[in-house]
Amino acid sequence: MANELQVVTIGLDDFTPALRERDVPCLNVLWKPPAQGDPELTDILFRLTVFDRDADGRSRINAANRKALAAVLASRPVLRRVVRAGDALPGLRDRMLLHAGPPLRTVEACGPMRGAMVGAVLYEGWAATEPEAEALLDSGRVTVSPTYGHGVAAPMAGVVSPSMPLFQVENTTTGGVAYSPINEGIGHVLRFGANNPPVIKRLAWIEEILAPAMDRAVTALGGISLGDIIAQAVLMGDELHQRNVAASLFFHKRIAAALAEQADSDHLADIVRFLAGNEQFFLNLAMAAARVCMDSARNIPHSSLVTSMSRNGTDFGLTVSALGDTWLTAPSLLPRGLYFPGYSEDDANPDMGDSAIMECYGLGGFAMAAAPLVARFLGAGDLREALQFSLDMAHITVGTNPDYPIPTLDFSGTPTGIDLLKVVATGIAPVINSGVAHKRAGMGQVGAGLTTPPMELMTKALRLFHSKELGQT
């Protein structure tokens, strides 16, 4: 009836149960003030949304973000070669180490980062013992530089030295190239700060045996499309950050015959055994793929798209398209999740690694709905909660990636392209799937969980973005 009472509540749901008990039709609208009610940030968002427009009255930011996302979606990552870091990276000089995350000095490095640097020095033969390696790092005769500035994406400590082999991934759409080291496997590994003799021996085996065989195999195949493997893996339960089971199997299937033809027969069994026993092998390939695709969205004027997120175990850093290569940083947070038996948050190091590039690319935490098993492993709950993570991320992204459909979301694409403005406006922080390293070097992984960029970092980035937009208006 026209005069029947109908009620709409906005924001608060306190009145809804009482009204429904009395059979009063009621619709609750979920609403909260933008930027958590902060007047300054609300004003910035209002100015950017309402006044930052071109001569025809169209939003310059929205147009730029659509352009940035289109560049990412048009990208096609292909594994081309396996190359030596010192040969492939012009800026990687002798006695230089690369590390994950924003810039830092060796004296600022956290325990596992420092341990990985010591391991790299031993691996290169720059020192014969751990104390000698420590002294060499403290002397300043070994320089350090972020992987980001060299086109590299590396997990956890992310330490790369000149002799290490790297995957070379090309974006065949743009011609851009990105790199990542070969995944070492699990247990005591360099990326978690371990540097004992077995770790160094494994690194040498990867350099001398595995890498040359893989390079010959990849070259013989004319390259391997990584986007196709990612798409298949998402359909089979991977989110490509913490779970790479299907992706690793697909990659092994793709390269197996060529490896059999190209590898030395004396080493083939060891190579196959190593690959078959490493369910996370594809992670590093996925990171290089994500990096080269996200690079296509860099330096687009007026775009508020987050082009990278990375952590060095001390600071969390991110870059924004319109801000170029400017790092915005804030202290890195401890992941929240599950710890292995005998460990707790007291043992954990703050988050580290370049692997949050996966979330920038719409995978990892943004594709949690595709991988409910990972949600439980990360302490994030059941299938319903896994679905909710991906649904929440859709509120802070520019669009979706139709190449990576999620079956549990009726085959909608993964939410892709983090929009800085939407993050601050909604208060929804990008969720990142992550491993947890022990805060002491050499102890390895102690758990897995979820983390986010500090919201203070997002608001800092918004203020800088606003200042730049004011200068261009």
Side-chain angles (χ1 to χ4, degrees), residues 4 58 96 109 121 247-248 289-290 321 368 410 434 453 457:
E4 181 181 348
R58 294 170 298 194
M96 175 186 280
V121 169
S248 296
S321 179
M368 194 90 83
D410 199 22
S434 185
L457 174 57

Side-chain angles (χ1 to χ4, degrees), residues 2-348:
N3 60 352
E4 181 181 348
L5 178 64
Q6 299 184 22
V7 178
V8 176
T9 62
I10 299 176
L12 296 176
D13 197 25
D14 295 352
F15 302 108
T16 305
L19 291 167
R20 288 177 177 162
E21 285 175 6
R22 292 164 175 76
D23 295 323
V24 176
C26 182
L27 174 66
N28 179 248
V29 178
L30 295 176
W31 180 87
K32 55 184 178 181
Q36 296 77 61
D38 184 293
E40 179 203 359
L41 296 175
T42 300
D43 182 63
I44 289 174
L45 290 168
F46 179 76
R47 290 176 180 275
L48 290 173
T49 304
V50 176
F51 295 114
D52 195 2
R53 298 182 177 271
D54 63 19
D56 296 321
R58 294 170 298 194
S59 170
R60 298 192 302 178
I61 295 172
N62 287 347
N65 284 343
R66 287 193 297 269
K67 178 180 179 181
L69 180 61
V72 172
L73 299 185
S75 297
R76 295 292 178 263
V78 173
L79 174 62
R80 287 298 188 202
R81 294 288 308 275
V82 181
V83 296
R84 181 179 178 275
D87 298 332
L89 308 178
L92 181 57
R93 305 186 303 274
D94 186 37
R95 298 294 176 98
M96 175 186 280
L97 300 176
L98 307 184
H99 64 81
L104 83 167
R105 297 176 298 162
T106 55
V107 295
E108 299 167 338
C110 64
M113 178 74 76
R114 176 80 172 190
M117 290 179 177
V118 168
V121 169
L122 295 173
Y123 161 71
E124 290 290 346
W126 299 339
T129 66
E130 188 172 338
E132 289 178 7
E134 294 272 9
L136 188 64
L137 289 169
D138 291 337
S139 72
R141 286 180 288 160
V142 173
T143 57
V144 297
S145 180
T147 53
Y148 179 83
H150 300 263
V152 177
M156 299 308 293
V159 171
V160 173
S161 65
S163 297
M164 289 182 186
L166 301 176
F167 292 123
Q168 182 185 74
V169 177
E170 178 191 2
N171 182 347
T172 58
T173 304
T174 66
V177 177
Y179 302 87
S180 66
I182 296 176
N183 191 286
E184 309 158 76
I186 59 175
H188 283 251
V189 289
L190 190 76
R191 67 180 183 274
F192 281 101
N195 53 39
N196 56 31
V199 171
I200 307 305
K201 183 178 180 181
R202 186 190 304 114
L203 290 173
W205 179 82
I206 290 173
E207 175 194 347
E208 296 164 8
I209 305 300
L210 178 62
M214 293 198 75
D215 183 48
R216 292 194 298 271
V218 171
T219 301
L221 290 169
I224 297 176
S225 171
L226 301 181
D228 293 343
I229 293 176
I230 292 171
Q232 291 175 306
V234 169
L235 290 172
M236 295 185 66
D238 284 357
E239 39 72 73
L240 280 299
H241 193 161
Q242 276 298 309
R243 179 181 165 90
N244 283 271
V245 178
S248 296
L249 287 173
F250 276 122
F251 180 78
H252 299 163
K253 178 182 177 182
R254 184 74 181 87
I255 200 172
L259 267 177
E261 294 169 352
Q262 300 296 329
D264 187 320
S265 59
D266 292 340
H267 302 296
L268 182 58
D270 289 338
I271 291 173
V272 172
R273 192 176 296 112
F274 176 79
L275 296 179
N278 186 356
E279 293 181 345
Q280 279 287 81
F281 187 82
F282 194 80
L283 170 61
N284 296 35
L285 286 160
M287 288 174 58
R291 170 67 198 269
V292 80
C293 292
M294 292 308 302
D295 278 354
S296 67
R298 290 166 56 188
N299 299 304
I300 295 178
H302 313 298
S303 174
S304 56
L305 199 79
V306 176
T307 49
S308 72
M309 298 189 294
S310 188
R311 308 84 81 203
N312 59 28
T314 302
D315 292 324
F316 192 117
L318 61 78
T319 59
V320 177
S321 179
L323 301 180
D325 294 328
T326 301
W327 280 105
L328 286 303
T329 63
S332 190
L333 304 176
L334 281 176
R336 308 177 305 278
L338 294 180
Y339 287 84
F340 300 157
Y343 298 103
S344 69
E345 278 192 1
D346 293 337
D347 303 300

